[in-house]
Structures are given as structure tokens and as C-alpha cells.
Amino acid sequence: NMFGYSSEKLEMLLLPMAVGGKEALGSMGNDAALAVLSEQPRQVNDYFKQLFAQVTNPPIDPIREEIVMSLVCPVGPEGNLLSDPQQSHCERLVVRHPVLTLDEME
């Protein structure tokens, strides 16, 4: 163990990132015992792991999958598309991403 990382974590997760700058590929499941019940010493972050709904299939990645995915967030009421155009249909704010800077808020 080095800094609490097992040899498997070092080899499978950290080495690809350090050598090639690539994202590491890991398994989709976690069959290890809960850290609080383990008799082995565990890293502090192991006590705060989420053990349900960890994986989305397919993975949600707006940068690499921008062709089929968007972070655009419409804010406000959506008008009826079947009615005649009205001024209220133009009052919807569309932001490019869900996190706004102070400048964007002004």
C-alpha cells in the first residue's frame, strides 16, 4: 500500500492517468465490504462512498458527447407551441450551462 492505495488501484486507475493522461477504466461494481465494517485499514474517502446508482449507462459526458447531449438549461415557463405566437413566449431565459459566473448573472 502506498498512501492507502492498493496495488490494484495504483496499476489500474492511477498508472494510466500518470503515464498517458488517459481516464482510467474501472469496474462498474463495488463488492468490497463497507469501510465501517472492514477489519482492514481504509482510506478516509472510502467511508463516504455512494453504494447505489454509481454508474450511468451510457456515461453522461457533455464534452465528449456534445453531438447527442447538451447542458443548455431553459429557465422559465414554456409556452404552448400550438397557440398563436405571443410576447410571453419570448420571456424564457436560456443559459448555456447550469453554473453561472457573477458576470453572467448580471
Side-chain angles (χ1 to χ4, degrees), residues 72-77 88-96 100 104-105:
V72 172
C73 300
V75 180
S88 63
H89 291 157
C90 301
E91 295 174 356
R92 192 163 194 196
L93 175 66
V94 177
V95 292
R96 292 188 2 227
L100 299 176
E104 292 172 326
M105 292 170 81

Side-chain angles (χ1 to χ4, degrees), residues 18-88:
V19 173
K22 299 178 182 177
E23 278 190 57
L25 298 176
S27 68
M28 292 174 57
N30 180 5
D31 59 354
L34 294 173
V36 72
L37 301 176
S38 177
E39 294 179 7
Q40 302 296 322
R42 303 289 291 269
Q43 288 183 293
V44 173
N45 64 327
D46 285 344
Y47 290 90
F48 300 100
K49 282 194 177 173
Q50 181 179 358
L51 293 180
F52 57 92
Q54 293 180 335
V55 178
T56 59
N57 193 10
I60 297 173
D61 186 353
I63 296 170
R64 293 181 186 90
E65 299 174 4
E66 63 185 338
I67 294 172
V68 295
M69 183 181 176
S70 171
L71 289 178
V72 172
C73 300
V75 180
E78 184 175 0
N80 184 353
L81 295 175
L82 301 177
S83 69
D84 291 329
Q86 299 175 10
Q87 180 69 24
S88 63

